[in-house]
Amino acid sequence: MFTFFLLGPSFLFSQELDQVIVKQNLLFRNPLTTKDYGLHGNVKKLEKRTSFADPKISTVYETLFFSGTGLLTKKAYYSEGEKEPNLIYYYHYNNNRLDSITNTHHIEKEVFNYDDRNRLIKKITYGKYDETKDEIDEAESFHYNSENYIIKSVKDSANLVMESKYNKKKQIIQIKSYYTNNPENMAVTEYQFQTLYDKPDVVITKRNEKTQNTTIYKCDIKGNHIETITISQNKTANKIQNSMIYDQHSNITSNIISDKGNKISETVQKIEYY
């Protein structure tokens, strides 16, 4: 049984994440550092506002808080016109590892278990909970190869298995996913790397060995996607473009997403540094 607690500013520790955890792909572990979010410099706070061309879609507000060593400590979500967040997630660490994630509404909690080699071996997600009762929604276990990279994850409740394959540079080049009650119905995602950036240039999704979509990415000199072309099964292509503005630290302060010249959304980022 885990007790819910909030961490005050006094817990803004000096340690960094264990390297065994850091090297795991974000497909398996939570984004926890400024680097995971593509941020540069000693970032203290990141405020994001995303507005949409479609007036039916509400503006999204999000604020992320980081420790002095770049660890995510709190994530807050706001509604339009509200000065106070309507939902806050707190990130609790122990011994250079993420211990748990809790929130102000008690609607979800994630707890992380490790082995004696600092490898994440299980993530337990609880649903609505209180001080005396926890209801498990999902338990996900992780399996490693001899080089301590995750090669398999299993979600118990969903009966979902994900198997990963790496290249010589330790980049994930393939993810296979299937349900244990129907292993023949397999989804495969393939990642191709052609540039110097540690991001895939081409992503191919397949179902039962048939290609569903092919996505091609083009990056700017900073390694961020400026163009995304998705080719569907019937060979039709859809092109999405990003127009970004950077600050002096090479962090994005504005990103306008367009489809054939028509604006879809705009994300404005305000960054506060230590």
Side-chain angles (χ1 to χ4, degrees), residues 73-86:
T73 59
K74 185 168 67 173
K75 186 187 295 185
Y77 293 93
Y78 295 78
S79 296
E80 183 76 40
E82 296 291 336
K83 295 183 179 180
E84 297 295 328
N86 52 44

Side-chain angles (χ1 to χ4, degrees), residues 172-177 186-194 200-217 228-233 235:
I172 286 186
I173 57 174
Q174 186 184 81
I175 294 282
K176 292 182 179 180
S177 59
M186 179 176 291
V188 177
T189 304
E190 297 176 352
Y191 303 88
Q192 298 179 8
F193 297 84
Q194 299 170 357
D201 301 272
V202 179
V203 177
I204 301 171
T205 59
K206 299 179 179 180
R207 172 73 67 175
N208 297 326
E209 299 184 356
K210 293 183 179 180
T211 299
Q212 303 296 306
N213 291 291
T214 299
T215 304
I216 304 169
Y217 297 98
T228 304
I229 300 175
T230 302
I231 303 171
S232 63
Q233 192 175 17
K235 304 301 181 182

Side-chain angles (χ1 to χ4, degrees), residues 13-19 22 33 69-71 95-97:
F13 34 73
S14 60
Q15 75 261 29
E16 298 178 350
L17 282 181
D18 185 274
Q19 289 304 303
V22 169
T33 69
T69 54
L71 285 183
N95 294 329
N96 297 26
R97 306 179 306 201

Side-chain angles (χ1 to χ4, degrees), residues 152-167:
K152 184 178 179 180
S153 72
V154 181
K155 292 184 177 181
D156 295 343
S157 298
N159 296 315
L160 177 63
V161 178
M162 294 178 63
E163 298 177 349
S164 55
K165 183 179 179 181
Y166 298 80
N167 61 15

Side-chain angles (χ1 to χ4, degrees), residues 125-272:
T125 304
Y126 297 91
K128 187 175 178 63
Y129 64 97
D130 55 33
E131 294 287 346
T132 60
K133 183 179 181 181
D134 293 313
E135 298 176 357
I136 295 178
D137 277 352
E138 185 59 85
E140 183 175 9
S141 58
F142 301 92
H143 307 266
Y144 293 77
N145 61 13
S146 59
E147 296 179 298
N148 290 330
Y149 281 88
I150 294 173
I151 56 172
K152 184 178 179 180
S153 72
V154 181
K155 292 184 177 181
D156 295 343
S157 298
N159 296 315
L160 177 63
V161 178
M162 294 178 63
E163 298 177 349
S164 55
K165 183 179 179 181
Y166 298 80
N167 61 15
K168 293 181 179 179
K169 294 182 179 180
K170 313 306 179 188
Q171 299 165 321
I172 286 186
I173 57 174
Q174 186 184 81
I175 294 282
K176 292 182 179 180
S177 59
Y178 56 90
Y179 294 96
T180 54
N181 58 355
N182 188 16
E184 300 300 323
N185 186 16
M186 179 176 291
V188 177
T189 304
E190 297 176 352
Y191 303 88
Q192 298 179 8
F193 297 84
Q194 299 170 357
T195 63
L196 297 176
Y197 304 114
D198 193 26
K199 295 180 179 179
D201 301 272
V202 179
V203 177
I204 301 171
T205 59
K206 299 179 179 180
R207 172 73 67 175
N208 297 326
E209 299 184 356
K210 293 183 179 180
T211 299
Q212 303 296 306
N213 291 291
T214 299
T215 304
I216 304 169
Y217 297 98
K218 181 180 178 181
C219 293
D220 61 12
I221 59 174
K222 298 182 184 297
N224 292 312
H225 293 150
I226 57 174
E227 184 177 272
T228 304
I229 300 175
T230 302
I231 303 171
S232 63
Q233 192 175 17
N234 60 10
K235 304 301 181 182
T236 58
N238 182 45
K239 181 189 294 185
I240 300 296
Q241 294 178 311
N242 294 325
S243 179
M244 288 166 284
I245 298 175
Y246 296 90
D247 67 6
Q248 68 273 23
H249 297 278
S250 295
N251 288 320
I252 298 171
T253 57
S254 174
N255 181 22
I256 296 176
I257 300 177
S258 304
D259 179 8
K260 298 176 182 177
N262 298 316
K263 180 178 176 181
I264 299 175
S265 67
E266 179 179 7
T267 298
V268 177
Q269 296 193 151
K270 180 181 178 181
I271 302 171
E272 179 180 338

